[in-house]
């Protein structure tokens, strides 16, 4: 459980933003509820900052995924809000059946359908707020056509690298985690070694209520590594350390063995501070397709076979139609 000081630190870091008062209202109500899946759940009670939210546009939505991405204004600032219905948990079924009201829709022979109104605590919507959101955030969440780009080592140097040096998302949230100014109470494992060390914590896509959609990220303490392209043989101890200790920590905390995990990097990532994704095998996490995900085990083997593998190989990745990097590839007649 986090101390009052840790919460004050979280609020201090958010204070850099004009929307701070929204975050400062947050106060802890309860924490550390164990659930049947072995995942740890933390809860912070806060005022409903969304009551003031004004929708500008639905960026994308999915009936199958049961989520919606909305652009709008929050206290006169651009914001993106992501609403997502959460999975139904086995350990809540008894409460769901006894505590709900049922409305009959139709009955025919042995078949009947109902609308079940669950008790509020079993009817939550996972909500993510990005505020103030930049133009790049709004584009990131907008459904768009994508194109596969072919990037040689030379293209990386002449097209991609100059672009990401100027245009990439801020990694302030990563530094807040590394400096324990945010999410300190969520850290699952920490190796403090300055060269091979990392922090392992839940990705903010995961609500930690069930292990079925487990999603953690390992963030390196080293700050210089931007992405897969920067990796050479000298990073093997770091990669092996993350792979080994990350898997051990997940086994210990969530009772999930390595054979149930998908451990991978994104290329291109959204945030150019080196990190590794740990998701449960079988959970189709966004970005786990072959055009973007690189298994850490493969990365390690490739670097063992060729220390310069990721400096020289052609890498493929999708870019959305209005991504500025795509325009650079078009200008260079590489697409
Ligand atoms: P990525 O491959 O750089 O980009 O992964 P992606 O978002 O396109 O996948 C960064 C990962 O960090 C993603 O899985 C995000 O969900 C996660 N993430 C992003 N932010 C801003 C936060 C945050 O503030 N806290 C946590 N815990 N995870 C975050």
């Amino acid at each position: 459980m986090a101390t009052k000081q840790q919460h004050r630190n979280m609020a201090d870091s958010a204070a850099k933003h004009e929307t701070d008062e929204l975050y400062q209202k947050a106060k802890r109500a309860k924490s550390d509820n164990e659930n049947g899946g072995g995942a740890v759940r933390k809860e912070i009670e806060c005022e409903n900052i969304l009551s003031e939210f004004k929708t500008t546009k639905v960026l994308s939505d999915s009936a199958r995924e049961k989520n919606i991405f909305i652009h709008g204004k929050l206290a006169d600032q651009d914001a993106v809000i992501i609403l997502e219905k959460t999975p139904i948990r086995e350990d809540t079924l008894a409460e769901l059946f006894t505590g709900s009201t049922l409305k009959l829709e139709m009955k025919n022979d042995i078949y009947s359908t109902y609308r079940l109104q669950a008790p509020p605590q079993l009817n939550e919507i996972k909500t993510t707020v990005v505020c103030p959101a930049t133009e790049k955030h709004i584009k990131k969440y907008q459904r768009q056509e994508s194109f596969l780009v072919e990037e040689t080592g030379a293209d990386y140097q002449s097209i991609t690298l100059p672009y990401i040096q100027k245009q990439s998302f801020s990694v302030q949230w990563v530094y807040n985690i590394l400096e324990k100014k945010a999410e300190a109470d969520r850290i699952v494992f920490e190796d403090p070694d300055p060269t091979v060390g990392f922090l392992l914590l839940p990705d903010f896509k995961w609500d930690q209520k069930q292990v079925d959609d487990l999603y953690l990220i390992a963030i390196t303490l080293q700050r210089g590594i931007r992405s897969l392209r920067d990796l050479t043989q000298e990073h093997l101890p770091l990669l092996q350390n993350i792979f080994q200790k990350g898997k051990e920590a997940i086994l210990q905390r969530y009772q999930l063995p390595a054979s149930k995990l998908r451990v991978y990097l994104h290329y291109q990532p959204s945030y150019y501070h080196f990190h590794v994704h740990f998701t449960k095998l079988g959970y189709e996490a966004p970005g786990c397709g072959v055009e973007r995900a690189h298994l850490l085990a493969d990365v390690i083997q490739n670097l063992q076979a060729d220390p310069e593998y990721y400096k020289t190989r052609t890498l493929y990745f999708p870019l959305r139609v209005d991504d500025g990097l795509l325009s650079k590839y078009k200008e260079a007649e590489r697409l």
Side-chain angles (χ1 to χ4, degrees), residues 241-282:
N241 192 48
I242 293 177
F243 199 30
Q244 204 47 45
K245 293 193 182 147
K247 289 188 295 190
E248 282 166 14
I250 290 175
L251 177 62
Q252 211 179 0
R253 173 69 75 98
Y254 306 103
Q255 290 78 54
L256 212 56
S259 58
K260 289 284 177 193
L261 294 177
R262 187 194 288 116
V263 186
Y264 58 100
L265 328 177
H266 277 157
Y267 193 74
Q268 300 285 333
S270 295
Y271 304 96
Y272 290 87
H273 175 107
F274 192 71
H275 58 274
V276 176
H277 303 252
F278 288 76
T279 61
K280 179 154 183 253
L281 197 69

Side-chain angles (χ1 to χ4, degrees), residues 136 139 147-151 154-168 268 272 317 319-335:
K136 213 169 147 64
K139 283 183 183 164
F147 294 89
L148 195 73
V149 170
E150 192 179 320
E151 180 198 69
D155 291 333
Y156 174 72
Q157 291 299 334
S158 64
I159 307 172
T160 309
L161 184 59
Y163 181 80
I164 62 178
Q165 279 170 335
K166 276 199 228 131
Q167 300 286 335
S168 51
Q268 300 285 333
Y272 290 87
F317 51 85
L319 288 177
R320 286 144 180 263
V321 69
D322 70 352
D323 192 314
L325 185 54
L326 190 75
S327 317
K328 297 284 173 203
Y329 271 81
K330 283 185 180 154
E331 279 166 30
E333 297 182 352
R334 294 287 296 113
L335 200 78

